[in-house]
Amino acid sequence: MAGLEPIIQKIQLRPISLPLVRPFTTAMHTVTAADAVQVDVLLTNGTVGHGAGTPNAVVTGDTMSTLQENLQTQVIPALIGRDIRDWNSLLTRLHASTSEQPAIAAVELALYDLRAKQVSIPLTALLGGQQRTVTTDMTIGIQALPDMVSEAKAFVSRGFKALKIKVGGGRLADDLERVKTIAKAAGPDIRLRLDANQAWTTDQAKVAVTELAALQLPIDFIEQPVAARNHEGLATLTAMRQLPIMADESVFGFQDALALLSRHAVNHINIKLMKTGGLAEAAKIDAACASFGVTTMVGCMIESNLSLVPAIAFAAVHDNVTFTDLDAVYMVKKQQAGIQTHGPQLTIGDPMHDA
């Protein structure tokens, strides 16, 4: 043991690539593997914390190579030799080291893991709660309609009570047909969540919302129907009061959330740790949403369990989190340690605490 003080001595990186059960397609791109960079932060007292960051070229604007480069050249030099007990200053330095949110998230999650280990409590307790189980929806990517219907039936048979359907990949008429057909196949008790991933203009989205509402299906919300910067469009759709509107790509940090909340532009906000740069900013966003009466969802990219475990912990202990979309657990061919699955229920033990 190099010393008794909790000083950051070394930060090691390891690329991860986990093949998916099947390709996953949205209106923006197709993904075939859960790619991530694992981060191991070593303290001089021998403690090691683990985290991971997942890049997404169309959402966070990064790749595996840029993520690793930013970690090596910007983030790691800013933190080596720092005392983890100087927590607020440490997080400030981390968030100022780069603009690449997955890089920040990867290290911040490792630091939270370290902090929990330093005081010998689970991450959930560090975040303020004891609950360790959440119920997730399951997402159906854009593909041939018979394949989407087959997936819907399979997910329902496994106990999922909510299906998230990707839309916006072509004609609105095709989207409406997908939603109607999947809803019929799934049954009336299954909640539907639609995600357009910025695919529509405001005018197109107004038509889509009107026609989807007319179907009178059990739709929880339409997620990011217009471009991320189109706050006016989100506000217009929300003011229609026909279907709840959720922001995703529009919100990375607290200021993004505040911009939408202050003009009552959305009903819900999707919090993803890869967008927020980790747990600290996520907590600020959730608290701001709660103060405006706006509930949140905790979602994810297609990630490894090293970042999904803290996402589950965050969702489990924050009362304002109403929806959970952490289905990446089920998308990889080889199941990973750290998360127990029972149908749609995800349970973490002692999050990343025994690693």
Side-chain angles (χ1 to χ4, degrees):
M1 188 176 295
L4 298 178
E5 300 298 311
I7 308 300
I8 297 175
Q9 182 181 42
K10 184 186 298 184
I11 300 178
Q12 297 177 325
L13 309 180
R14 182 168 70 89
I16 301 170
S17 186
L18 304 168
L20 302 187
V21 174
R22 62 181 62 84
F24 180 75
T25 299
T26 74
M28 302 175 72
H29 66 161
T30 296
V31 180
T32 59
D35 293 327
V37 177
Q38 178 174 333
V39 172
D40 302 321
V41 179
L42 292 73
L43 302 184
T44 52
N45 64 10
T47 312
V48 182
H50 307 287
T54 290
N56 188 309
V58 299
V59 178
T60 53
D62 43 25
T63 64
M64 284 289 285
S65 60
T66 64
L67 176 55
Q68 292 178 85
E69 181 182 359
N70 274 313
L71 284 164
Q72 289 282 16
T73 62
Q74 299 181 50
V75 180
I76 292 175
L79 300 183
I80 295 297
R82 297 290 166 175
D83 193 322
I84 193 174
R85 294 171 299 187
D86 194 7
W87 183 252
N88 290 339
S89 175
L90 187 63
L91 290 191
T92 298
R93 289 185 66 85
L94 169 60
H95 282 260
S97 66
T98 180
S99 60
E100 190 170 5
Q101 298 306 103
I104 296 170
V107 176
E108 195 192 89
L109 297 180
L111 294 177
Y112 268 92
D113 183 31
L114 280 171
R115 199 179 193 197
K117 289 174 177 175
Q118 287 294 111
V119 293
S120 299
I121 60 174
L123 179 59
T124 46
L126 186 67
L127 297 179
Q130 298 184 61
Q131 177 62 258
R132 297 180 183 178
T133 298
V134 300
T135 300
T136 184
D137 59 22
M138 194 68 198
T139 304
I140 301 172
I142 296 173
Q143 52 194 310
L145 182 54
D147 293 330
M148 296 179 77
V149 170
S150 177
E151 281 195 6
K153 290 179 177 179
F155 295 150
V156 171
S157 72
R158 290 164 59 183
F160 287 90
K161 302 299 183 185
L163 299 177
K164 184 174 175 181
I165 304 170
K166 293 291 187 178
V167 295
R171 299 185 312 137
L172 176 58
D174 294 333
D175 285 330
L176 292 171
E177 184 63 24
R178 287 190 190 103
V179 174
K180 286 190 294 184
T181 305
I182 290 170
K184 182 178 180 180
D189 297 330
I190 303 302
R191 305 300 302 179
L192 305 176
R193 301 163 184 180
L194 312 183
D195 186 2
N197 290 110
Q198 310 181 65
W200 297 323
T201 65
T202 301
D203 287 342
Q204 289 171 333
K206 287 167 68 176
V207 173
V209 168
T210 299
E211 296 198 21
L212 286 165
L215 297 177
Q216 296 187 317
L217 296 172
I219 296 173
D220 285 331
F221 54 76
I222 300 179
E223 184 177 348
Q224 200 63 54
V226 297
R229 297 293 181 184
N230 188 0
H231 292 189
E232 182 67 33
L234 289 172
T236 296
L237 298 171
T238 300
M240 291 170 63
R241 297 181 181 274
Q242 291 188 326
L243 288 173
I245 302 299
M246 175 180 286
D248 178 8
E249 290 94 340
S250 293
V251 177
F252 277 59
F254 172 78
Q255 292 299 328
D256 297 330
L258 195 61
L260 293 177
L261 294 169
S262 62
R263 65 186 299 174
H264 306 286
V266 293
N267 303 107
H268 313 291
I269 286 179
N270 186 354
I271 296 172
K272 294 177 180 175
L273 301 186
M274 294 303 115
K275 293 189 303 171
T276 64
L279 294 161
E281 191 76 2
K284 290 172 61 179
I285 294 171
D286 187 64
C289 288
S291 71
F292 278 85
V294 169
T295 56
T296 59
M297 178 168 78
V298 173
C300 62
M301 309 300 184
I302 299 181
E303 305 173 24
S304 76
N305 280 12
L306 279 172
S307 53
L308 291 173
V309 166
I312 293 170
F314 183 91
V317 305
H318 286 83
D319 292 339
N320 194 52
V321 176
T322 304
F323 307 107
T324 306
D325 179 31
L326 296 172
D327 52 1
V329 174
Y330 304 93
M331 293 184 180
V332 297
K333 288 183 179 179
K334 184 178 180 181
Q335 291 303 304
Q336 310 156 74
I339 301 172
Q340 296 179 342
T341 62
H342 182 70
Q345 292 189 323
L346 305 175
T347 301
I348 52 178
D350 196 346
M352 298 195 297
H353 192 68
D354 54 359

